[in-house]
Amino acid sequence: MTIQDLFYPRGVAVTGSMAEGKLGYELVKQLVDGGALNIYACNPKRTSAFGVPAFESVSQIGQPVDLVVIASPTASVASVLRECGAAGIRAAVVISSGFSETGNQAGEMEIIQIARQLGIRVVGPNCAGIVNTANHLFATLETRPPAGKMAFISQSGALGGAVLSWAEEQGVGISKFVSYGNRADLDEIELLPYLAEDVETSVVALYIESVSDGRAFRQVVSEFTRKKPLVVIKSGRSKSGQRAALSHTGSMAGSDAVYEAVLAESGAIRVSSVEEMFDLCKGFASLPCPKGNKIAIVTNSGGPGILTADQAERAGLEVGEINLNLKANLKGFLPPNCSLNNPIDLTVQGSGDQYKRTLTTVLNEFDSAVAINVATPYLDSLPLAGGIASAAHSSGKPVVANFMAGPVVKESIRFLESNGIPNFPSGERAAVVLAHMARYARQADRVITYPPAPAPAGESPRASGSIVLEPDAMDWLRRNGFPVPPFRFAATPDEALQACREIGFPVVMKVVSPEILHKSDFGGVILNIQDESSADLAYAKLAGIARSISFTGVIVYPMVMKTQEIILGISIDPQFGPVILLGAGGIYTEIMRDISLRLAPVSNQTAWMMIRELKSFPVLQGARGQAGGDLDALATLISKVSELPFLFPQVSELDINPVFLLAQGVLIGDIRVVLRR
Amino acid sequence: MTIQDLFYPRGVAVTGSMAEGKLGYELVKQLVDGGALNIYACNPKRTSAFGVPAFESVSQIGQPVDLVVIASPTASVASVLRECGAAGIRAAVVISSGFSETGNQAGEMEIIQIARQLGIRVVGPNCAGIVNTANHLFATLETRPPAGKMAFISQSGALGGAVLSWAEEQGVGISKFVSYGNRADLDEIELLPYLAEDVETSVVALYIESVSDGRAFRQVVSEFTRKKPLVVIKSGRSKSGQRAALSHTGSMAGSDAVYEAVLAESGAIRVSSVEEMFDLCKGFASLPCPKGNKIAIVTNSGGPGILTADQAERAGLEVGEINLNLKANLKGFLPPNCSLNNPIDLTVQGSGDQYKRTLTTVLNEFDSAVAINVATPYLDSLPLAGGIASAAHSSGKPVVANFMAGPVVKESIRFLESNGIPNFPSGERAAVVLAHMARYARQADRVITYPPAPAPAGESPRASGSIVLEPDAMDWLRRNGFPVPPFRFAATPDEALQACREIGFPVVMKVVSPEILHKSDFGGVILNIQDESSADLAYAKLAGIARSISFTGVIVYPMVMKTQEIILGISIDPQFGPVILLGAGGIYTEIMRDISLRLAPVSNQTAWMMIRELKSFPVLQGARGQAGGDLDALATLISKVSELPFLFPQVSELDINPVFLLAQGVLIGDIRVVLRR
């Protein structure tokens, strides 16, 4: 197993110049200073550094070597890899740059082909290296971090280095670190399964800018998060890039929203800053997860307690009331001026013993606690820290601290953290961590299975070029068993009248034109036409609108009485493939961004989860005496629509807007399909 | 002027025990160590501490004394104040506790009455004291903070102390500090106008748990924020307290939402944590405000740059593209591998000179900049800091830094901050600060005038007890010139038929019962009744619903064709008095919390601002080909409704739900009024 070779090599060869200040020299220095054993320097001049044995080539070492760290000039990396192959080395970290990141795709392809042929796995090229603190292995130029339970995988070398530098100050230790640079070979897809089994690691943080295979990523993350928490920073895409998308639905389903949906569904915790990443990793690395949502807040100052309670509720925790039984217990040892609501305010007189007994008492019924100490220079915080640590240990439940502020609490914070109680700069940040941990615990044991994509079948809708006219799209849907209302196409005033008669008044008439994508923006939809003379006028108006561009005719439907409206969209994401979007509330979809996204296809069960995710779910279900819609029929429709891009791979975009949500069943009110050319 | 006496006293008397470790002793120590001059100890035994002159009473000092700091036993505070009165001392800081906070309201009232009689202004009692760094005056037991431009007023002594302890670590200096404890006399209402004129102070932070006179607070804050920025932490009220509110509208307008609305309208910046408070104060204290929204991001690592851009956009800044002209300039001195989009990525090779020239170039067109340096141990960050500082100074525009991470950037951060460039732990936090500063600059020069409350006039609606039946409420509205549809009340089946005929089919019929507050929850509203037989059935159904409780009759209206719906509510907030709530979208109001709140009354102009604040404003205005509503008529209605609680002071709650928003005008669809008993 080569990933094991990477982290636990019997020997490490470093290639590249050993002249002072050069990469090879610095790498040997790091490895030696860090305490790794069996380091060998390899370079054409057989120069050593720091007294390690030196050879001309890795093939001459004559001792077991499992890992090579390559800092040789770009042009020699290929030959170094060939020598490694001959020497039986199966793991390489290529620090050297000058490959695809500078446009040298050919050079990168060459070294990867060589590595593949010789069975060598590569981290890099153009990477910041790897760390395994358990093994004192620091094959990187970055700061050596303290040992701990957090593994960090970074697509950015610079950010990776910053995180290593920052780890000690943030009170977080690192188990393993991998910067994979240009990701020419190994990346998170193989590293995550390894780290899922790594006993030194209890939480993984991942920084990504993109993924190469979206569906494989989803699968790996889903499996990983059943075993350990995964905290992800995914940097967003600029707005300007997203603006390019043509369709409205498409733009809402912009790629970053797809990442967001995939990460959420697969159980990862997405954060938006390195600080938040450290906060969460600190929590996960040092504490058991709360078994439920009930959080107690114990403080010696009212205000910060309330601010923490506010944030805890916002983050989804329950700042439950202290029940009478617990209150009676607390009254047994707390002075009468303490507030026994949650937050419990011990006042500035709160002692270490009071913190201990209060926390011990409430943790009998609560799932987690935040202990806040607003310190003053004339108060010794250390006994408080002692009381808190003691209560945390005896309860076995997660307790976090917020000792404010400045130098007067430095020593107490050190005490707390060395006793496994993480301290956060504010109670609010502490509450957010516990909220994430409780959510993780709730979902960790669920089994996620993704339905297989169906095979292509049947005919795409009739089209000229990429545009499908509404009558053709509706016809296609009807033939495929979708709930489509009766409709007629008409290309003359007489045909239009005949169509209205056949459908039966009141009717809706819409313009059909290959040039008009969003009909209602152009007044191209006329509702509630009651009689033949209105129908004549309507036809004339629609023909007039489209005359100067391209008028094909009109489509006539029966008028559907006002119901709740839904929108459904399919778009094809470059990283993740077909995506389905559900939006509620007609025009509210865009304004309120009340949407749910998933990779297609989705099962009926997932379709229901999407419906429940909508903010307007209570409205759809029937709120305040209003009738609810047929959500079973909607779920079936979502699932069926989600199969379309697989059944008909020519479909590149599809919007159903609106879907009428009836008391019984659903009806497709309009459809827009774009085919690949 | 006594507030001047408080901060710039010619002499300070400290009363209370001078035994080592006692409050009086510690206060004298702080004052002496801090460098204040003319300190006198006063206590019955004439004990001194730290060599300051000691007297039995303040009346014996015989030198000019403007401030007394009282740490005497609770029972002696009154007599100390009397002695101060005799000695001509007009400013007192009462550190002593044991007053209203322990239930001793009488003691507190006594000392305040004495102070009023003698013309003494009091800070406290039960407070943590005051600080004026400009004058080396530290009349507090808390940590002595470094001098700077931020004033801090705190309702919580403990939190105040924590902030002073933390200030140095956060890189923020303090100008003045006041902890006013039980706020028996002086509070923010008088301190803010003083600080608005204080040349040592450029930003004020305020921590409050409540205010005593909401309307005076609003006025003072509105005037203050025209001169200087005000950052406010207002700790929330627990959910359980808010749940108590009876009506739906009332609960949405819960007191914390009112604080939120008042703070926003009066130009204060509300934050939810001490960290955020420091961030903003640091920005305001060290930088000019950006004159516009365009922010440039210059980085040496892609990822953190993008995360910062994401957050900047979320916070309302514009991460605009670099125009061709600027790009051409940048290309003149940057290597080709730099990314010249915004964020501008100088890559890990970015030099101090490149930072300087890049920032100087883009600040010609952008309003502010974030300079990010993801440091590594083998990179000297100091030249980068130098380049950034130099560009910031020559541009005169606000530049903030994010130097990550850990010990390798400590020295550079010190350099930056001593050169007036604030550094933040993440680019995201830096962007939030600039966004707030740009928003503050935009609003700072606006003039806010609040319309006067109209005098009581006319009759309240007819009621038995506190409940007003719908026909009586509608009648009252009509008499007062509100847009009410025609309606009829009917108490028998025959009357109901007659009412329907008079109104004209289709009609709406609703139950009238003093026991049914939310009719639609009980099926008490029947829409779209088309003919007489349906009307008969409807009457029977409504009578049946209410029979077992209390059935008064039915009310009949014409059916209003589906339009957009609005809700309006009046509630009386205990701190702020009458409040008006505007909500959009019928049942969406609650689910989407799409609401806007103001203290009543509101002018037509403010009513328009409320309408524009709604997320669904584009829908109301007419989006995607749908007709817009008559928003002028709505604004007029809002303003008129906002006067009702003043015209009719008996009104304690009022909900208009829905208001039908027509193409021409508005119509009140339903009303619920509760009167004071």
Side-chain angles (χ1 to χ4, degrees), chain B residues 579-627:
Chain B
V579 169
I580 182 156
L581 175 144
L582 168 71
I587 44 182
Y588 281 90
T589 297
E590 239 173 299
I591 288 161
M592 302 295 184
R593 299 197 66 73
D594 188 14
I595 60 172
S596 173
L597 271 188
R598 287 289 189 288
L599 300 196
V602 296
S603 64
N604 215 280
Q605 189 192 355
T606 303
W608 260 107
M609 286 173 64
M610 294 176 74
I611 296 170
R612 279 177 206 282
E613 262 174 37
L614 296 177
K615 291 176 213 150
S616 40
F617 172 62
V619 180
L620 302 180
Q621 219 185 4
R624 315 292 310 274
Q626 301 223 357

Side-chain angles (χ1 to χ4, degrees), chain B residues 306-428:
Chain B
I306 300 172
L307 292 172
T308 302
D310 290 353
Q311 180 63 48
E313 284 191 4
R314 224 171 317 171
L317 293 174
E318 196 189 320
V319 189
E321 287 177 60
I322 309 292
N323 67 35
L324 292 177
N325 190 18
L326 284 184
K327 269 192 188 160
N329 288 348
L330 294 173
K331 274 182 190 152
F333 57 86
L334 290 178
N337 62 332
C338 294
S339 163
L340 302 188
N341 298 313
N342 194 5
I344 298 173
D345 188 350
L346 302 179
T347 82
V348 68
Q349 273 96 32
S351 68
D353 188 57
Q354 285 171 357
Y355 270 95
K356 178 181 164 180
R357 294 178 72 178
T358 302
L359 284 166
T360 304
T361 304
V362 295
L363 283 171
N364 280 320
E365 304 224 348
F366 285 76
D367 305 302
S368 67
V370 179
I372 300 172
N373 164 27
V374 179
T376 54
Y378 48 89
L379 173 87
D380 182 3
S381 295
L382 213 46
L384 309 193
I388 292 163
S390 160
H393 292 160
S394 67
S395 77
K397 291 186 177 178
V399 175
V400 301
N402 162 226
F403 272 37
M404 298 165 101
V408 293
V409 289
K410 278 233 158 71
E411 197 190 334
S412 303
I413 290 175
R414 248 194 310 271
F415 173 86
L416 284 166
E417 300 209 324
S418 66
N419 279 275
I421 314 286
N423 182 77
F424 296 94
S426 70
E428 296 89 297

Side-chain angles (χ1 to χ4, degrees), chain A residues 300 350-352 355 373-388 403-405 407-413 415-416:
Chain A
N300 62 357
S351 67
Y355 271 95
N373 164 28
V374 179
T376 54
Y378 47 90
L379 173 88
D380 183 3
S381 295
L382 213 47
L384 311 192
I388 292 163
F403 272 37
M404 297 165 103
V408 293
V409 291
K410 278 234 158 70
E411 197 189 334
S412 302
I413 291 174
F415 173 87
L416 284 166

